[in-house]
Amino acid sequence: MTTDNPFRLGLETERIPDPCVFVIFGASGDLTRRKLIPALYNLAASRLLPPGLSIVGFALTDTSEEQFRKSMREAVGSFSRRKPIDEAVWGDFVSRLHYVTGRFEDPSSYARLRDKLEQLDKTNGTRGNRIYYLAIPPSVFRTVNDRLAEAGMVAEDGGRYVRVIIEKPFGHDFASAEALNADLHRVLAERQIFRIDHYLGKETVQNIVALRFGNAIFEPLWNRNHIDHVQITAAEDIGVEGRGKFYEEAGASRDIVQNHLLQLLMVTAMEPPVAFTADEVRDEKVKVLRALKPIRGDDVKRLTVRGQYGPGNFAGQPAPGYRQEPNVSETSTVETFVAMHMEMDNWRFAGVPIYVRAGKRLGKRCTEISIHFKNVPHALLTQGASGPSADASRIEPDVLAIRIQPDEGITLRFAAKVPGPSMVLRPVTMDFRYGSTFGGSGPEAYERLILDAMLGDPTLFARADEVSAAWRFMTPILEEWEHERLKDLPVYPAGTWGPPGAFELIERDTRAWRRL
Amino acid sequence: MRLSLDKVEPELAKLWEEEARRTRATRVELLTLVALVSEPHLYDRAREVVERVARVHPLRTVLATWIESEHAGITADVALHRVSPDGPACGDAIAVEAAGDARDWLPENTDRLALPDLPLCVWWVGDLPDYDRLFDRMARIADVVIVNSEEMDLRDLEKLSTVSARVRHTCAMTDMAWSRLRPLQEMVARFFDDAAGRECMRALERVTIEFSPRAGDKEVASTQAGLLFGWMANALGIRAEGVQWKRGPTWGEATLGRVVARFEHHPRPDVPPGSIVRVALEFDGARFDIERQDDPRVFRWSRETPGAPVPPQTLGVDIAEEAGLLIRCLERPRRDYLFENSLQLASKIVRPIAPRLSSLPRPM
């Protein structure tokens, strides 16, 4: 489309999306208020939305368009990264907001929705282009897709595009993920499906690709010859925060590990793609998952650790245990912490342990990937040293740490000589921080991902085979945990770094978790 | 206390050591920004701008100025930029004063003060002089030369174009006024994103650019208006040869083949002088319009194309101050071919109404 536009050549914004109607199923929900509408508003404020774009909320809640607009204004006021609301931008944005009350299973609701969309096509020039954002529980994905198809609302005829964005969880195990994919593929082509994992929209995650493939110095070291091990941590200091019901079904493994952590692993471990295009990138990512050594049977006990937070503290204040959280069973055996020792069977990473951990109510909020390089092959600089001097001269291996959040940036730890007459080495760091280097706040993950979906670029979205492969790896572990039928999980006090088993998992390999 | 230039680095090192003890601030610097203050009255403004830029881009700034004197010499003053008055340090602040003939030594000495192996950006503060070798010599040592054509006369576009062409193999040139045009360019571009818009392109008949003139300005186009049209002409493949001008006291019309470009004064005290107020494109049967509203930060974008309805859009555009424009220029310290091409075309188009002094008899 816009590649034919000579006025776009050389401009920072090389493309803006074709006009479309952006339909949000589940428009009265939290995701719409907290993320979607603020993201769309921010895109409007950045002048990245096309003229004619319309947004239609669809939900069961019986509310007027006026009331919907009012409530979305409150949402933008509370959750947009741009404050205060720019009245001129809002004035234009609000005129694009519409609402249709309807039931997900009711065909007549879709007929009304279709009429509304067709009317917008006529007045706004949206030409039948649609984005359907399913901000709804996965249990109704199938119903909504079927009804949309029955109403003739998903066919890409006459040059129009129809895309469906779905939110995780994409299934709860391998079988259900396959079933979900099959359901989606009954009515949609894979190119129409955009499975969102907001981690991939984060600038810092995209920067891993830039770091690896935009610099010549790292990639030669990025393999088993130089890397001792990799650690990936996704730590939250908060608890389940009112999401007890969801968490009881998901647990840390389904909430974080199966998607976000494996996404981070894929970006860290993938081979350079032939081109930075959606399928080339995703082909390489899937290969990482396929290369993961399955963890099955007795290995589950040996290579994985679960835990649940008990009462403790949060930043120095008393914090309840998981079982004391609202909507959580008093006898829950759902894990709020997972640690794993993974390995990959491929040329690049064979024999390199990958330690991952994720959890709630840990010591601090921090998501980080750290690449721990091998130690020097010969302790040249400690030769002849003895006693305290030898100890002081012990060389700490180099570490490259990529912080995803907060305080996004990259740190390289290496050894330097302490000034003085003797050869004493000390680890020092070179630090790059996004905040202090580039200043200002970049776009939020949802802004980037929604814009990409409008532009039809699925690079940062999960493909069906990616989701399946992730579940294929996780499901035997989950099943083994089910079979264990534990009455109680190892408990760690809120505010600490997980149960003792998490430390044993890495320490038995004579390694240690990095202090975050 | 003013220092000789060889004392600058030790003094800065001392300041950072003290800072590390006090706040544990890390010394991070991404580039050197040399601000050459061409007129004394611009000094305070330039200092304020570089201080604000340093809060966003960790950098070393060299603020250079010159004074009349019989004794040639360059001295410096050093300090650290701070995020806030009591906040941590965020860059080196070097103020350089050249006395008398030492002005000629500024290029090699600012080069000496530049951070090693990092881009050296030179910001020429103020109007571009007609005859000043300093600018050309600074361009030779810089990676990027930043000017603000908002402060220049229309005829300076030609000088900029010439310098840009001459130094293009060694340094990039960019213009704050050009960076101010980015949102407008994006708005113009969106007219042609779809097929219906692009179909009109060949039928373009008239472009009207209204701009807010400087007080008492006799020129019928601002540098921004000229650059914007130069960019449009570049995209449309319009050639400057044979341009014919008509002009009135507050307007000028250039005929370039089948396209007429009209530039017109539209005074607006609430926008920086030279800023664009309206851009209209007229085609056979279609009309595209971008108009600044009463709120100067707001534009109304509208397109009337037969058979392809598009609702008008209201778009917000912050009126960037000088520091904001400079930050934009520093974000991409590299060659901007689009700017170079647009500048070249613009300078040719406006030449008949803004002849360079060099084409007139040189002053004695």
Side-chain angles (χ1 to χ4, degrees), chain B residues 341-355:
Chain B
N341 295 340
S342 306
L343 172 64
Q344 195 183 30
L345 203 45
S347 74
K348 284 182 185 165
I349 292 168
V350 302
R351 189 182 169 113
I353 55 164

Side-chain angles (χ1 to χ4, degrees), chain A residues 177-218:
Chain A
E178 287 288 275
L180 174 62
N181 280 337
D183 274 346
L184 291 168
H185 288 151
R186 270 191 309 109
V187 294
L188 298 162
E190 178 61 25
R191 68 164 192 284
Q192 292 179 278
I193 305 166
F194 289 70
R195 296 173 191 81
I196 204 164
D197 182 330
H198 73 272
Y199 257 54
L200 287 178
K202 288 178 183 289
E203 287 285 337
T204 37
V205 176
Q206 294 161 46
N207 194 44
I208 300 171
V209 176
L211 176 83
R212 289 191 56 200
F213 306 129
N215 295 287
I217 59 169
F218 297 112

Side-chain angles (χ1 to χ4, degrees), chain A residues 57-320:
Chain A
F58 181 92
L60 180 62
T61 311
D62 190 10
T63 188
S64 65
E65 202 152 88
E66 193 188 338
Q67 192 56 37
F68 177 67
R69 289 174 170 183
K70 200 174 154 199
S71 119
M72 291 305 111
R73 183 185 165 98
E74 285 167 13
V76 169
S78 301
F79 301 114
S80 164
R81 69 185 164 89
R82 293 171 188 261
K83 290 191 172 70
I85 292 178
D86 184 321
E87 293 302 335
V89 173
W90 176 257
D92 187 75
F93 184 76
V94 74
S95 69
R96 300 151 174 264
L97 280 177
H98 307 273
Y99 187 80
V100 173
T101 305
R103 303 174 67 86
F104 295 139
E105 67 282 8
D106 172 27
S108 67
S109 298
Y110 290 81
R112 274 187 290 113
L113 177 63
R114 190 185 55 215
D115 291 346
K116 178 79 178 179
L117 304 188
E118 285 173 358
Q119 178 199 330
L120 290 169
D121 284 339
K122 282 183 194 141
T123 54
N124 290 3
T126 40
R127 306 197 293 268
N129 295 327
R130 307 281 183 261
I131 305 250
Y132 300 118
Y133 199 114
L134 308 192
I136 52 177
S139 52
V140 279
F141 280 178
R142 181 180 181 155
T143 307
V144 171
N145 282 326
D146 286 351
R147 296 290 174 275
L148 283 170
E150 287 158 15
M153 296 167 76
V154 296
E156 293 192 309
D157 45 11
R160 69 187 192 133
Y161 70 74
V162 178
R163 296 171 193 142
V164 176
I165 306 177
I166 61 173
E167 277 278 339
K168 76 178 177 74
F170 312 122
H172 56 87
D173 57 15
F174 179 67
S176 59
E178 287 288 275
L180 174 62
N181 280 337
D183 274 346
L184 291 168
H185 288 151
R186 270 191 309 109
V187 294
L188 298 162
E190 178 61 25
R191 68 164 192 284
Q192 292 179 278
I193 305 166
F194 289 70
R195 296 173 191 81
I196 204 164
D197 182 330
H198 73 272
Y199 257 54
L200 287 178
K202 288 178 183 289
E203 287 285 337
T204 37
V205 176
Q206 294 161 46
N207 194 44
I208 300 171
V209 176
L211 176 83
R212 289 191 56 200
F213 306 129
N215 295 287
I217 59 169
F218 297 112
E219 201 51 24
L221 305 178
W222 214 266
N223 57 55
R224 62 192 300 276
N225 298 325
H226 301 282
I227 295 176
D228 176 74
H229 73 282
V230 176
Q231 294 184 19
I232 304 178
T233 301
E236 293 278 358
D237 54 2
I238 55 170
V240 291
E241 302 291 298
R243 293 167 71 225
K245 195 176 163 202
F246 162 78
Y247 216 78
E248 279 286 90
E249 288 178 16
S253 49
R254 290 183 173 92
D255 186 36
I256 300 283
V257 180
Q258 183 273 336
N259 36 67
H260 302 328
L261 272 194
L262 289 183
Q263 286 291 351
L264 294 182
L265 172 63
M266 284 186 260
V267 180
T268 306
M270 72 179 186
E271 293 296 322
V274 172
F276 199 67
T277 58
D279 276 334
E280 299 290 359
V281 171
R282 296 189 297 178
D283 285 349
E284 296 306 333
K285 283 170 62 190
V286 173
K287 285 182 199 167
V288 172
L289 295 178
R290 290 191 190 135
L292 279 177
K293 263 190 194 172
I295 301 177
R296 293 200 171 106
D298 289 346
D299 281 346
V300 174
K301 220 170 216 170
R302 194 170 59 85
L303 300 174
T304 71
V305 173
R306 284 182 295 164
Q308 189 183 77
Y309 64 85
N313 78 91
F314 166 63
Q317 297 300 315

Side-chain angles (χ1 to χ4, degrees), chain A residues 1-2 4-13 16 45 47-52 86 88-89 92 96 122-125 127 436-439, chain B residues 30 56-58 182-183 185-186 188-190 192-194 198 201 231-232 235-236 297-298 301 309-317 332 338:
Chain A
M1 50 165 209
T2 48
D4 300 330
N5 181 354
F7 285 93
R8 288 274 173 207
L9 297 175
L11 288 193
E12 222 167 296
T13 309
I16 62 166
R47 301 181 301 277
L48 291 170
L49 295 183
D86 184 321
V89 173
D92 187 75
R96 300 151 174 264
K122 282 183 194 141
T123 54
N124 290 3
R127 306 197 293 268
S436 55
T437 302
F438 294 118
Chain B
L30 299 179
V56 178
H57 276 283
R182 278 187 206 167
Q185 291 168 334
E186 201 281 322
V188 172
R190 66 174 54 204
F192 304 99
D193 278 334
D194 63 356
R198 286 195 297 276
M201 216 180 273
W231 168 73
M232 292 167 73
L236 290 165
R297 298 175 311 104
V298 178
W301 179 99
V310 180
Q313 236 182 330
T314 305
L315 298 159
V317 176
R332 294 186 175 195
L338 194 59

Side-chain angles (χ1 to χ4, degrees), chain B residues 50-241:
Chain B
V50 297
E51 278 172 4
R52 289 178 57 193
V53 172
R55 285 176 210 144
V56 178
H57 276 283
L59 43 67
R60 167 175 289 187
T61 62
V62 180
L63 194 58
T65 186
W66 43 89
I67 54 166
E68 296 292 328
S69 174
E70 288 179 4
H71 305 287
I74 302 179
T75 53
D77 206 358
V78 296
L80 300 183
H81 289 294
R82 295 194 175 278
V83 172
S84 58
D86 297 322
C90 56
D92 306 333
I94 305 171
V96 164
E97 188 179 82
D101 292 344
R103 182 178 184 273
D104 284 347
W105 306 339
L106 277 172
E108 56 268 31
N109 282 294
T110 47
D111 192 28
R112 170 198 179 112
L113 295 173
L115 294 164
D117 205 27
L118 285 170
L120 171 61
C121 303
V122 171
W123 170 33
W124 183 273
V125 187
D127 193 5
L128 203 59
D130 282 308
Y131 306 107
D132 192 342
R133 285 182 59 241
L134 183 61
F135 178 82
D136 294 21
R137 290 177 60 214
M138 288 303 294
R140 265 179 236 135
I141 61 158
D143 295 292
V144 181
V145 174
I146 301 163
V147 296
N148 188 357
S149 68
E150 278 177 10
E151 299 188 76
M152 300 179 187
D153 300 319
L154 206 51
R155 65 169 188 267
D156 291 321
L157 291 183
E158 191 184 345
K159 162 112 181 169
L160 287 179
S161 176
T162 309
V163 174
S164 151
R166 197 164 59 229
V167 300
R168 67 172 40 164
H169 296 298
T170 53
C171 96
M173 177 179 281
T174 190
D175 177 10
M176 293 189 198
W178 173 255
S179 73
R180 194 189 288 289
L181 286 174
R182 278 187 206 167
L184 268 161
Q185 291 168 334
E186 201 281 322
M187 281 188 250
V188 172
R190 66 174 54 204
F191 284 134
F192 304 99
D193 278 334
D194 63 356
R198 286 195 297 276
E199 272 167 31
C200 296
M201 216 180 273
R202 280 190 299 274
L204 179 65
E205 292 173 346
R206 190 176 182 84
V207 177
T208 304
I209 299 177
E210 295 176 13
F211 66 96
S212 183
R214 288 185 286 205
D217 206 343
K218 298 277 189 293
E219 292 193 314
V220 294
S222 67
T223 50
Q224 269 191 69
L227 281 171
L228 182 67
F229 185 71
W231 168 73
M232 292 167 73
N234 182 52
L236 290 165
I238 294 173
R239 297 171 64 88
E241 284 73 23

